[in-house]
């Protein structure tokens, strides 16, 4: 019997989405479970003995490498360095390793040291790999231009997960997106024709989670949940019936395009089944830039009103913004901060534009001679697009872009502004939760509340804003108390992330200035460099010391 070890490489500590410290307050170890690997496990021969090692919740255990006949792993660009290190570790111990996933599919040459590259979508390429493995092949690369029919995809092996170690567990309804954003690699990887599972499939996956004792937050990991709106509209009534019959064991989150706000019927259906969070890619409030980067779906109507409409249907909006588009002007920072403040989005993930492998943007930049060699190789210390972006020659001076970016990050995540957005959101949010409690239990939530109050309510720089927000929520919208506490707790992570990003930006700005012929003296270094490097008053609220 073959013994197979599935390994999820560690994400960088200071990634925007790696709020591990906050997870631990709520009795978990990491935000999201590795859905890709448990899906791969379901595609492997079920007579194999399969174990899962998630390096985001456990340290590396060399004994598991020794146990395995074969190791399988995958990852995205932020996991690149750790995945390459895993390949070296396996080879040092005489073990063969299979590599796949988003980043290896996009740039397989980076992972040439792996024994087997199983790329594209596993439903098509894993059977080819298994056939060669059974025939004795010791190396191979497996690809498929054909997209699988996801109605034939198996139920992920959720039983391999330590469910209590995650804040939420993911399931997938669809793959692909109908839009054509220039910078996006999803349409390159999964196509522009969204493929959806059947209601029966998805409900069976939820049934499996419930039988395993899981309760609480389930995330639909689709890159655009409403990409195939007809299928979504057919699925949601089935999900509502299923949930109602079982006393609403789950509440949901997902990612969707902003045009979700255009459909009152769809919004009402998502509200009815208890969707509480939705991530949207706003990117920029500049309509000309949205058109230039082929994100025209965000130009229909007011971004602010669309976000508020989602809030009024019970969904907390988290959003992605991008700095560095071609044609961007020096006023971009002010416009972006104004947009975030007007929408009342606490979790605004602002990143630098990144040329991802095999996108329309990357191909255009290559034609224009603006793409350096090794542009998609993760550098030491990189976390995500907050630090690894602008891996190309931008259309305006790089120093300008980094200064603007530093200004945005500093302002958005100062406690006064962040807590102010939490309070405005809580007052807008119209939510009637149906699912109550989680796998970790009510006592964990009570102790987490105490920890949040101690960490934020008695610390210089956050105490005043924390208590003002907490009281404001209790007086005006007490039903949103839990949502507000969870969002406020996240500032513990964003404080550290902000310090990390600003310090990296300061070094990069100083480096770019040193390389510039007309900026050679200390007096010409912009104020932003001196402020960030000195970590004086402007960064004092981001102290990560003990309360008080």
């Amino acid at each position: 019997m073959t013994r197979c070890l599935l390994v999820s490489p560690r994400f960088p500590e200071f990634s925007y989405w790696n709020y591990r410290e906050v997870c631990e307050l709520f009795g978990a170890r990491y935000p999201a479970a590795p859905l890709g690997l448990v899906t791969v496990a379901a595609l492997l021969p079920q007579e194999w003995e399969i174990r899962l090692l998630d390096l985001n919740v456990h340290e590396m255990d060399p004994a598991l490498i020794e146990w395995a006949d074969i190791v399988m792993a995958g990852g995205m660009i932020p996991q690149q360095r750790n995945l390459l290190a895993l390949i070296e570790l396996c080879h040092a111990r005489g073990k063969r390793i299979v590599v796949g996933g988003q980043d290896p599919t996009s740039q397989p040459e980076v992972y040439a040291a792996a024994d087997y590259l199983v790329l594209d979508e596993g439903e098509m390429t894993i059977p080819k790999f298994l056939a060669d493995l059974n025939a004795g092949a010791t190396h191979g690369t497996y690809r498929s231009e054909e997209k699988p029919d996801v109605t034939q995809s198996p139920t992920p092996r959720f039983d391999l997960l330590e469910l209590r170690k995650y804040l939420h567990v993911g399931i997938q309804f669809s793959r692909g997106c109908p839009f054509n954003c220039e910078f996006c690699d999803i349409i390159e990887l999964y196509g522009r024709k969204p493929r959806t599972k059947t209601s029966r499939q998805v409900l069976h996956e939820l049934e499996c989670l419930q039988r395993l004792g899981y309760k609480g937050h389930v995330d639909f990991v689709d890159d655009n949940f409403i990409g195939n709106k007809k299928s979504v509209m057919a699925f949601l009534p089935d999900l509502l019936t299923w949930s109602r019959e079982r006393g609403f064991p789950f509440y949901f989150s997902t990612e969707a395009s902003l045009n979700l706000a255009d459909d009152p019927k769809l919004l009402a259906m998502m509200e009815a089944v208890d969707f509480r969070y939705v991530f949207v890619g706003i990117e920029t409030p500049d309509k000309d830039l949205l058109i230039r980067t082929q994100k025209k779906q965000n130009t229909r109507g007011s971004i602010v009103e669309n976000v508020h409409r989602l809030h009024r249907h019970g969904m907390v909006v988290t959003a992605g913004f991008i700095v560095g588009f071609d044609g961007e002007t020096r006023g971009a920072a002010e416009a972006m901060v104004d947009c975030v403040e007007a929408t009342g989005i606490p979790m605004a993930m602002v990143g630098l534009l990144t040329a991802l492998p095999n996108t329309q943007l990357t191909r255009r930049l290559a034609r224009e001679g603006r793409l350096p060699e090794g542009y998609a190789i993760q550098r030491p210390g990189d976390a995500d697009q907050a630090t690894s972006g602008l891996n190309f020659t931008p259309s305006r001076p790089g120093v300008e872009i980094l200064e603007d970016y530093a200004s945005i990050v500093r302002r958005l995540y100062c406690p006064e502004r962040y807590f102010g957005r939490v309070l405005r959101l809580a007052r807008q949010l119209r939510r009637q939760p149906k699912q109550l409690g989680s796998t970790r239990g009510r006592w964990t939530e009570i102790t987490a509340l105490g920890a949040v109050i101690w960490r934020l309510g008695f610390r210089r720089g956050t105490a005043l804003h924390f208590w003002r927000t907490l009281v404001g929520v209790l007086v005006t919208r007490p039903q949103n108390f839990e949502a507000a506490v969870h969002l406020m707790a996240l500032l513990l992570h964003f404080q550290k992330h902000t310090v990390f990003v600003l310090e990296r930006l300061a070094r990069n700005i100083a480096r770019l200035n040193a390389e510039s012929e007309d900026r050679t003296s200390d007096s010409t270094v912009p104020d932003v460099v001196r402020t960030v490097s000195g970590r004086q008053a402007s960064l004092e609220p981001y102290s990560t010391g003990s309360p008080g």
Side-chain angles (χ1 to χ4, degrees):
M1 179 174 60
T2 300
R3 294 177 298 190
C4 177
L5 178 65
L6 300 172
V7 182
S8 179
R10 189 184 297 272
F11 279 92
E13 178 183 359
F14 289 105
S15 169
Y16 183 90
W17 300 109
N18 188 356
Y19 40 92
R20 182 170 176 171
E21 178 184 14
V22 178
C23 292
E24 291 175 351
L25 291 181
F26 290 89
R29 289 283 291 166
Y30 195 70
L35 178 62
L37 283 182
V38 293
T39 302
V40 167
L43 291 164
L44 296 175
Q46 295 308 290
E47 64 271 18
W48 283 15
E49 186 176 353
I50 300 172
R51 296 184 185 179
L52 173 68
L53 175 61
D54 184 356
L55 295 176
N56 296 289
V57 300
H58 289 290
E59 297 300 320
M60 170 57 73
D61 182 357
L64 282 175
I65 301 290
E66 296 294 341
W67 166 86
D69 296 316
I70 194 163
V71 177
M72 302 184 75
M76 297 184 287
I77 286 182
Q79 296 168 287
Q80 186 182 103
R81 292 180 64 83
N82 288 325
L83 180 51
L84 292 173
L86 177 64
I87 295 173
E88 291 184 7
L89 175 63
C90 289
H91 287 166
R93 294 180 176 269
K95 301 294 181 176
R96 290 175 294 166
I97 181 168
V98 185
V99 168
Q102 187 171 352
D103 193 40
T105 294
S106 296
Q107 43 182 351
E109 66 280 0
V110 174
Y111 300 91
D115 299 286
Y116 309 91
L117 289 173
V118 182
L119 310 175
D120 301 305
E121 296 185 55
E123 290 91 343
M124 305 304 298
T125 54
I126 287 178
K128 299 177 183 179
F129 156 69
L130 292 173
D132 274 8
L133 185 68
N134 289 333
T138 58
H139 292 82
T141 298
Y142 306 90
R143 306 217 64 155
S144 175
E145 294 184 4
E146 184 182 354
K147 304 298 182 187
D149 175 2
V150 295
T151 65
Q152 304 303 310
S153 298
T155 298
R157 287 283 305 276
F158 296 119
D159 59 292
L160 295 173
L161 297 170
E162 297 176 83
L163 293 168
R164 292 176 60 89
K165 293 191 180 294
Y166 303 98
L167 277 188
H168 55 80
V169 177
I171 64 173
Q172 186 177 61
F173 175 65
S174 69
R175 294 181 199 166
C177 178
F179 297 114
N180 196 36
C181 305
E182 184 189 40
F183 54 86
C184 183
D185 64 348
I186 294 303
I187 54 178
E188 309 289 340
L189 290 165
Y190 303 115
R192 291 188 58 196
K193 183 178 180 181
R195 294 158 285 139
T196 62
K197 294 180 179 178
T198 65
S199 292
R200 184 176 180 179
Q201 276 178 286
V202 179
L203 297 180
H204 178 68
E205 293 181 17
L206 293 174
E207 193 80 52
C208 288
L209 284 171
Q210 188 180 26
R211 284 202 302 266
L212 289 167
Y214 185 74
K215 180 181 180 181
H217 186 175
V218 171
D219 180 47
F220 281 91
V221 303
D222 307 32
D223 293 291
N224 189 351
F225 182 66
I226 64 167
N228 187 328
K229 193 179 289 188
K230 181 179 178 181
S231 293
V232 172
M233 297 287 277
F235 164 63
L236 288 175
D238 295 336
L239 177 58
L240 179 59
T241 299
W242 184 92
S243 297
R244 187 179 288 141
E245 289 173 350
R246 290 156 181 79
F248 291 91
F250 308 119
Y251 67 89
F252 304 101
S253 62
T254 194
E255 179 175 347
S257 45
L258 190 56
N259 60 313
L260 167 63
D262 298 339
D263 194 324
K265 184 178 179 181
L266 179 55
L267 288 174
M269 293 170 74
M270 292 179 69
E271 182 178 8
V273 298
D274 211 357
F275 271 83
R276 299 188 191 177
Y277 298 91
V278 59
F279 178 89
V280 298
I282 291 177
E283 321 310 358
T284 172
D286 187 322
K287 289 190 174 182
D288 289 337
L289 293 184
L290 289 170
I291 292 170
R292 179 177 291 196
T293 197
Q294 299 170 197
K295 191 140 190 170
K296 296 179 182 179
Q297 64 269 26
N298 279 11
T299 64
R300 305 166 191 161
S302 164
I303 289 175
V304 173
E305 179 50 38
N306 283 337
V307 170
H308 289 175
R309 193 174 299 126
L310 295 173
H311 288 165
R312 290 195 295 269
H313 280 83
M315 286 176 272
V316 172
V317 174
T318 62
F321 292 84
I322 297 175
V323 181
F325 285 122
D326 282 0
E328 190 177 77
T329 65
R330 198 63 201 258
E334 286 297 328
M336 194 168 290
V337 170
D338 289 347
C339 178
V340 174
E341 292 294 329
T343 55
I345 297 173
M347 292 178 65
M349 197 288 163
V350 184
L352 294 164
L353 182 62
T354 304
L356 298 171
N358 301 321
T359 61
Q360 296 172 80
L361 171 65
T362 300
R363 291 189 286 272
R364 176 171 65 81
L365 293 171
R367 289 194 302 271
E368 296 171 0
R370 298 165 57 192
L371 197 66
E373 186 176 349
Y375 68 96
I377 301 299
Q378 190 185 27
R379 297 164 298 190
D382 279 350
D384 51 29
Q385 60 267 51
T387 54
S388 61
L390 287 189
N391 55 346
F392 60 94
T393 303
S395 64
R396 65 180 176 121
V399 168
E400 265 190 28
I401 297 173
L402 297 185
E403 288 174 2
D404 279 351
Y405 182 45
S407 171
I408 293 167
V409 172
R410 186 188 305 106
R411 283 185 284 174
L412 289 185
Y413 286 100
C414 77
E416 181 178 7
R417 284 179 179 262
Y418 183 82
F419 284 127
R421 295 198 302 277
V422 171
L423 181 57
R424 292 198 297 280
L425 166 65
R427 287 171 171 168
Q428 292 173 6
L429 198 62
R430 298 294 186 269
R431 178 185 285 179
Q432 297 180 346
K434 299 170 180 63
Q435 192 282 332
L436 300 175
S438 71
T439 303
R440 287 170 291 279
R442 181 58 64 181
W443 178 247
T444 299
E445 295 175 6
I446 292 171
T447 56
L449 173 61
V452 172
I453 291 174
W454 173 246
R455 299 280 298 277
L456 293 172
F458 296 94
R459 175 185 289 172
R460 184 180 62 178
T462 61
L464 174 63
H465 310 298
F466 174 81
W467 289 111
R468 180 185 294 160
T469 303
L470 198 67
V471 172
V473 172
L474 288 172
V475 169
T476 61
R477 195 70 63 179
Q479 63 268 39
N480 292 330
F481 174 79
E482 183 179 18
V485 168
H486 288 173
L487 288 168
M488 287 192 288
L490 285 166
L491 185 64
L492 294 168
H493 165 68
F494 294 141
Q495 287 178 322
K496 292 183 178 181
H497 179 265
T498 298
V499 169
F500 169 76
V501 170
L502 291 179
E503 288 179 340
R504 286 294 301 268
L505 288 174
R507 289 198 294 270
N508 287 334
I509 290 170
R511 175 180 56 80
L512 290 174
N513 279 326
E515 293 171 355
S516 176
E517 295 180 356
D518 58 346
R519 293 186 180 182
T520 56
S521 73
D522 289 341
S523 62
T524 63
V525 177
D527 288 342
V528 66
V529 178
R530 290 193 290 272
T531 302
V532 174
S533 299
R535 293 184 65 183
Q536 298 299 323
S538 66
L539 279 186
E540 190 169 316
Y542 295 102
S543 168
T544 55
S546 59

